[in-house]
Amino acid sequence: MKIALIGTGLMGEPLARRLLDAGHEVTVWNRSPEKTEALAGEGAQVAGYPHEAMTGADWVVTMLANADALQETLLNARSREVLQGRRVLNMATIAPHEARELQERVTAAGGEFMECTVLGSIPEARSGSLILMFGGNAGQFEAAKPLLAAFGPNPLYIGEVGKAAALKLAMNQLIAGLTTSFALSLGLVQREGVDVDQFMDVVRDSALYAPTFDKKLDRMRQGHYDNPNFPVEHLLKDVNLMEDAARKDGLDASLMVTIAGILEQAEARDLAHGDYSALFEAINPRR
């Protein structure tokens, strides 16, 4: 298939490689052209503008920063001209209402809009082992399966557009909540002089254990947050999206306000681009 991949950042780049490895004809575009250079050397065509990448594509796969970037990229005057007959698959994290609004606008321009949110990060994107959550109609899901096969083995059909976006936010809220709670517990046992290894033994033997605790433990203990798969600034964006979505649905979102404040404190410590476990530095400032 001819595939346009729009957005070659942390996740977009390995997704493009998976498509190339699967034998697809891939054209990429990124706002920062230098982020396409490696892919150009591996067989991808590089477009100067989004509409150039989209022209003639069987699928347009988007992995952009937020809904505003999607709007600007897909629905600017030039892009609208080539949307007729295009299938657009958004894989970035946006709010449910944003997904539905984009679906309406892309449909009005003559295209189809679908979503496939993912669980997993750069290692899973590289290995093609992402958990895939598809939003659209059943026919679109069947049509997308040959494309999705490059990204993960068992895509899940969640329902109409917006439902996969909601499920993705629900999962990322767990990432934020679990990591924040673990950071506070770890900080307390450290300051009270409890042996951290003993603390972890108790946690692992309890019903409270989550594997993410062990994944983030060394980073927090060592203060090492470089080379992130999911940086602080991205989690903060998703926490804010979750707060907004929860409030729109009549839920109490005060927990998200608290976690957002902690992440903002991490950003103020110049950790916006660090691994999201850097929120530990806000909860437990080093003396």
Side-chain angles (χ1 to χ4, degrees):
M1 292 184 288
K2 294 182 66 176
I3 300 169
L5 194 141
I6 309 296
T8 57
L10 287 175
M11 288 291 284
E13 185 174 1
L15 293 180
R17 287 198 175 93
R18 292 293 305 176
L19 293 170
L20 289 167
D21 290 344
H24 299 298
E25 183 180 333
V26 180
T27 301
V28 297
W29 176 84
N30 195 76
R31 190 181 303 274
S32 301
E34 63 272 11
K35 292 185 178 180
T36 64
E37 292 174 358
L39 291 168
E42 297 170 30
Q45 299 296 312
V46 177
Y49 298 94
H51 71 277
E52 292 177 355
M54 294 162 58
T55 300
D58 300 309
W59 287 91
V60 178
V61 178
T62 56
M63 186 57 91
L64 295 170
N66 51 45
D68 287 343
L70 283 163
Q71 170 77 20
E72 293 168 5
T73 302
L74 293 174
L75 294 163
N76 65 58
R78 287 184 171 182
S79 292
R80 285 181 66 90
E81 292 176 356
V82 298
L83 268 178
Q84 182 74 37
R86 301 279 83 77
R87 289 169 166 169
V88 177
L89 182 70
N90 175 49
M91 300 188 74
T93 303
I94 60 175
H97 75 275
E98 292 174 331
R100 290 188 287 266
E101 289 170 2
L102 281 164
Q103 181 188 34
E104 290 178 6
R105 292 168 185 168
V106 170
T107 300
E112 293 183 66
F113 183 89
M114 293 151 264
E115 61 185 357
C116 187
T117 57
V118 306
L119 284 180
S121 194
I122 295 172
E124 291 78 18
R126 287 172 175 164
S127 64
S129 58
L130 292 166
I131 296 173
L132 305 170
M133 301 169 288
F134 185 89
N137 63 46
Q140 290 170 332
F141 180 54
E142 291 301 317
K145 281 183 177 179
L147 169 66
L148 298 178
F151 305 140
N154 297 302
L156 303 172
Y157 178 58
I158 308 304
E160 62 193 25
V161 167
K163 292 187 184 299
L167 181 53
K168 169 64 171 178
L169 285 185
M171 300 307 295
N172 278 17
Q173 187 280 138
L174 286 175
I175 291 173
L178 286 169
T179 306
T180 303
S181 293
F182 177 69
L184 183 58
S185 293
L186 179 62
L188 178 65
V189 299
Q190 284 183 329
R191 295 207 177 203
E192 290 291 341
V194 178
D195 182 80
V196 171
D197 292 332
Q198 190 173 43
F199 161 66
M200 289 305 301
D201 287 342
V202 173
V203 172
R204 293 186 193 106
D205 286 341
S206 75
L208 305 174
Y209 177 69
T212 190
F213 298 162
D214 271 311
K215 290 181 180 179
K216 299 306 177 185
L217 176 62
D218 285 344
R219 280 189 179 274
M220 291 180 181
R221 294 179 78 176
Q222 297 170 16
H224 171 64
Y225 307 111
D226 295 337
N227 301 315
N229 292 325
F230 191 22
V232 166
E233 61 181 350
H234 290 184
L235 183 58
L236 176 57
K237 180 209 77 170
D238 292 354
V239 164
N240 286 330
L241 287 175
M242 179 64 187
E243 182 204 347
D244 183 57
R247 291 193 185 282
K248 282 182 167 60
D249 282 341
L251 301 171
D252 184 337
S254 55
L255 176 61
M256 294 298 95
V257 176
T258 299
I259 294 176
I262 291 168
L263 290 165
E264 288 168 357
Q265 290 180 51
E267 286 195 330
R269 294 171 178 272
D270 295 324
L271 292 166
H273 304 298
D275 184 86
Y276 67 88
S277 57
L279 60 81
F280 183 64
E281 300 299 318
I283 287 175
N284 184 28
R286 295 178 191 273
R287 298 175 181 177

